[in-house]
Amino acid sequence: MSSTTAETSAPVSEQRSAKAPRPRRRGENSLAGSLASHGILIVASVIALFPIGWLVYLSLGPDTDDYLHPGGIWDKMTFGNYTFVLQHTQFFDWLKSSLIVTLGTTAIGVLIAATTGYAVSRMRFPGYKKFMWVLLVTQMFPVAVLMVPMYQILSDLQLIDNYFGLILVYCTTVIPYSAWLLKGYFDTIPFEIDEAGRVDGLTPFGTFFRLILPLAKPGLAVAAFYNFLTAFSEVAFASTFMLSDDKYTLAVGLQSFVSEHDAQRNLMAATAVLIAIPAAAFFYLVQKNLVTGLTAGGTKG
C-alpha cells in the first residue's frame, strides 16, 4: 500500500513541478515591466530626436517661408541651403573663431579648475571652504550686470575684438562650476595615492600630473564637455566683445540670417545643422568617460 502511494505521488509531484512557473531572479523584470520600460524609452527617444529631425527637415526646404507650410517641403527637397551657406557666407570664418575660442576656453578652464579643485580637496589652507563658496557666489550675477564692467576691463586691456579677451570672459564663467565638479571627483580618489607619490620622491605638482590626473579622466571629461558647450553656444558676450564679422562665432553668425525686415529661416536651419556637427564630434570623443564622471563626483570615499 505504501509502495503504491509512493509511486503515484512521484508523478504528481513531477507534474506540479513541470507546471510551476520559473521563479524570477532578483532584479529581473516581468514581461509586462520590460515592455513598459522599453515603451517609455522609445517614447522618450522619439521626443528627444524629433526637434533634431524637424530641424533637418526644414533645412531641406528651398524657400524662406517653407517653415509655414512644412508639408510642401517633401516634394522639393534640396541641399541647396547647405551649398549656399558653405560657399556664400562666412561660415568657415565663424567655425575658425568658434574653435579657437571654445578649445582655448576648454584647455585653460579645465587646467585652472583642476588645480583649484585639487588644492581645495587635498590642502587645508585658511579659508579653503569659504573660497569654494566665493566661487559659487560668482555664478549668481546675471549677464546683464557683468556686461558693462567686463567691457570696460577688456577695453582698458585692449582686448576688445580679440580672441584671448573672449576666452578670459568665458573662463570666468566656466571655472567656478568646473572647480566644484572636479573637487567632488578628487575627493573620491584615495589620499594614499598622494602619500605614495611623496614616498617615491614626487613633488606635489608631480603627484598631481603623473598620478592624480590619469585617475581623474572621467571628471576631466565632464568638465571639458561643459566648458566646450558653454563657450560654443554662448551669444551675449560674443556678440558684444567681437566686433568684426570674420571674428563672429557660429552662435553669433547664426543671427545674421534674421534681421528686422528679413528672415532666411531655411538658411538658418541649414546652418544650425552644420553647427551641431562639431558639438556632436566633441561629445563622441569624451562620451566614454561622461557617465562615470557624472556619477562618481557625487559621492565621496
Side-chain angles (χ1 to χ4, degrees), residues 273-293:
V273 174
L274 294 174
I275 288 176
I277 295 176
F282 190 82
F283 172 79
Y284 178 77
L285 292 175
V286 301
Q287 55 91 20
K288 292 182 179 180
N289 296 313
L290 279 180
V291 175
T292 305

Side-chain angles (χ1 to χ4, degrees), residues 13 43 50 52 60 62 64 83 109 122 132 176 189 202 207 213:
S13 61
V43 172
F50 177 77
I52 301 175
L60 300 176
T64 58
T83 303
R122 293 296 196 265
M132 294 302 292
I189 299 177
L202 292 176
T207 302
L213 283 187

Side-chain angles (χ1 to χ4, degrees), residues 74-92:
W74 186 262
D75 297 327
K76 53 181 180 180
M77 284 186 179
T78 177
F79 289 98
N81 294 329
Y82 294 94
T83 303
F84 182 88
V85 169
L86 295 175
Q87 295 182 355
H88 301 287
T89 67
Q90 294 178 297
F91 177 82
F92 289 104

